[in-house]
Amino acid sequence: MSTLQDPPKSAVLQDLDSPSTSPPATGPVEAAEEEPFTFVTRKKKNGRKQETSVKLPPSSLHQPALPKGSGEQDSGNLPGWTTTRKPTRIKKNSQRAKMLGWQEAGQGHRSIEWGLDMIEDRITTLKQSKFYEAFRDLVHLTLDPPCRKLEKAQETALTHNDPRLVVAHEPQEKLLSSDGNELCVLPTTTAGDCNHGFEFTNMICYGIGSIESSRNSQFQLALGICLKEILQISGTLSIYDPIMTDYDKQLVEKLGFSIISDEQSKCSIESATLLYMPHCPKGLYSRVLEINWTRKQLDKLVILGNRFTMYDESPSFRQLEKQAPFILPALTIASVSLLPKVKFEDNTVFNDMAFHLFPAHVTIPTVDTSQQEEDPELL
């Protein structure tokens, strides 16, 4: 019986070293000719189509990939063709840095001088918008004394190229042009009414947020500065928000604001005060109202913040009565003036806001606070 045996190792090595059985090459192998790749672009010039073509060798279209992080350019003929892109550095005073705010501009660039320039840029952008024009007119018609409104109405008549002022003596005075078109409506004025109205001595800003990290907060602060200018407030400008950083505090102090503490924010007002509270928690509105829930104090108070009618439309009445029990009673006595419908940018900075005034002839209702709970947004 025969058995199979492995071939000797010398024979295996001899087979491996032996030349291939394929026929030898008779000469140098010529590579097949490749057609060049052509880029064709079509442009219109003077109403006529023009075609331009660029021919590139095929070898330039097949570049070997470089390892990540090398940061080197390929040796191909395509200009600007790289395998990796270094992150672009945002310059300090570039338009992109102004649009994105300070969060991406780098910690080292956030000087107080640059912050002042940033707020100035926000104010300029705000004043150039259609929203600001409508907002300024609303402020004059809502908060100016009647005699000042009459002066503004006279200016409006002059801007309409009508030097004559015709007033219809009705429960409300109407400013009419010579052809009978109504320009605006004014409340009835009598002698001495010029001393009434809101001559604000103070303005307090709540809930602005962190100016350092929020673009919306920057525009909200810019509107507060514009309010001071429109209403000619000569008294104290105060601001408070628990999330303000040290940089925010230094910046607002340079802008003329005084920073108040949490305990000071719980004190009642003593003079005509505008509370500027953009998009604050509902519990904060209720707390401010509770502190000033007397006829004497409400006469001196105006709130610019979320419109209270928005909470009346909410389905969670029981939760609202517990966490913000003063909002719905305040809505029964408040005169609400909605902000203009003209949108500002993406409509997330000043949306759903209104002025809230509390007329003196309205009786203040009693509010039951026996089941009051803390608003979780304030914790």
Side-chain angles (χ1 to χ4, degrees):
M1 184 175 179
S2 62
T3 58
L4 297 175
Q5 295 182 357
D6 295 334
K9 293 183 179 180
S10 59
V12 175
L13 295 175
Q14 185 177 2
D15 293 341
L16 292 175
D17 295 338
S18 62
S20 175
T21 58
S22 58
T26 59
V29 179
E30 295 182 359
E33 294 185 359
E34 299 179 353
E35 296 182 357
F37 190 86
T38 305
F39 287 100
V40 179
T41 59
R42 295 178 174 85
K43 298 181 180 180
K44 286 186 176 181
K45 187 175 182 181
N46 298 328
R48 298 180 180 178
K49 292 185 178 180
Q50 294 183 349
E51 294 187 0
T52 57
S53 60
V54 179
K55 292 185 178 181
L56 298 174
S59 58
S60 64
L61 301 177
H62 304 284
Q63 296 295 332
L66 296 179
K68 293 183 178 180
S70 62
E72 298 179 357
Q73 290 188 349
D74 296 328
S75 58
N77 296 329
L78 288 179
W81 194 350
T82 59
T83 57
T84 59
R85 293 182 60 187
K86 295 182 180 179
T88 57
R89 183 179 179 182
I90 302 177
K91 296 183 179 180
K92 173 181 175 181
N93 295 322
S94 64
Q95 186 67 21
R96 184 180 178 189
K98 293 180 180 180
M99 292 300 296
L100 295 178
W102 304 333
Q103 190 171 6
E104 298 185 14
Q107 182 72 27
H109 293 158
R110 298 175 188 174
S111 63
I112 298 300
E113 291 74 14
W114 188 47
L116 295 175
D117 293 339
M118 172 69 74
I119 297 300
E120 185 66 28
D121 179 75
R122 298 293 189 238
I123 294 175
T124 303
T125 303
L126 182 63
K127 288 185 175 182
Q128 291 175 351
S129 65
K130 295 181 179 179
F131 168 83
Y132 178 79
E133 182 179 355
F135 174 79
R136 181 186 54 196
D137 295 339
L138 175 66
V139 171
H140 287 310
L141 293 175
T142 305
L143 303 178
D144 278 350
C147 64
R148 189 179 300 173
K149 292 180 183 179
L150 188 59
E151 294 175 359
K152 295 293 181 182
Q154 292 173 343
E155 294 177 2
T156 304
L158 294 178
T159 57
H160 282 75
N161 298 323
D162 187 2
R164 294 185 297 174
L165 178 65
V166 182
V167 178
H169 296 282
E170 299 177 0
Q172 286 184 328
E173 295 180 351
K174 297 181 179 180
L175 178 64
L176 305 176
S177 61
S178 58
D179 56 358
N181 295 327
E182 180 180 325
L183 298 180
C184 65
V185 180
L186 306 173
T188 305
T189 59
T190 57
D193 276 349
C194 194
N195 296 326
H196 297 281
F198 286 96
E199 294 287 345
F200 293 103
T201 57
N202 303 307
M203 182 176 71
I204 305 177
C205 303
Y206 291 134
I208 294 292
S210 177
I211 308 162
E212 182 180 8
S213 58
S214 174
R215 188 168 182 266
N216 285 5
S217 298
Q218 297 165 12
F219 276 112
Q220 290 170 357
L221 179 65
L223 185 65
I225 297 174
C226 293
L227 269 173
K228 173 185 179 295
E229 177 183 340
I230 296 173
L231 296 173
Q232 301 176 5
I233 300 176
S234 58
T236 306
L237 302 178
S238 306
I239 190 171
Y240 171 73
D241 196 305
I243 69 172
M244 290 179 63
T245 63
D246 293 337
Y247 182 89
D248 296 332
K249 296 177 181 179
Q250 296 177 19
L251 180 61
V252 296
E253 286 179 345
K254 285 288 185 179
L255 292 170
F257 289 83
S258 62
I259 303 172
I260 60 178
S261 62
D262 181 60
E263 294 299 325
Q264 290 175 318
S265 66
K266 299 177 182 178
C267 299
S268 60
I269 63 172
E270 298 178 355
S271 58
T273 303
L274 172 64
L275 296 184
Y276 178 41
M277 307 172 63
H279 300 164
C280 288
K282 57 182 180 299
L284 184 57
Y285 294 114
S286 181
R287 187 177 74 177
V288 167
L289 290 169
E290 182 180 5
I291 296 172
N292 299 283
W293 199 248
T294 64
R295 182 71 274 170
K296 180 179 180 181
Q297 290 170 321
L298 289 179
D299 290 345
K300 306 173 183 178
L301 179 65
V302 174
I303 298 177
L304 174 57
N306 292 355
R307 58 181 179 88
F308 293 169
T309 54
M310 178 176 61
Y311 301 107
D312 190 23
E313 300 166 358
S314 174
S316 56
F317 289 108
R318 294 183 179 180
Q319 183 181 9
L320 182 64
E321 290 177 354
K322 292 180 180 181
Q323 298 178 359
F326 282 84
I327 289 184
L328 293 181
L331 187 58
T332 61
I333 63 174
S335 174
V336 182
S337 298
L338 302 178
L339 259 59
K341 295 182 180 180
V342 182
K343 295 182 180 180
F344 178 75
E345 293 197 340
D346 58 353
N347 199 33
T348 60
V349 184
F350 308 115
N351 60 305
D352 292 326
M353 292 179 60
F355 285 99
H356 302 81
L357 295 79
F358 306 94
H361 63 276
V362 182
T363 304
I364 301 177
T366 303
V367 181
D368 182 14
T369 59
S370 58
Q371 298 181 350
Q372 184 175 1
E373 299 177 357
E374 189 72 21
D375 185 0
E377 296 184 23
L378 294 177
L379 299 179

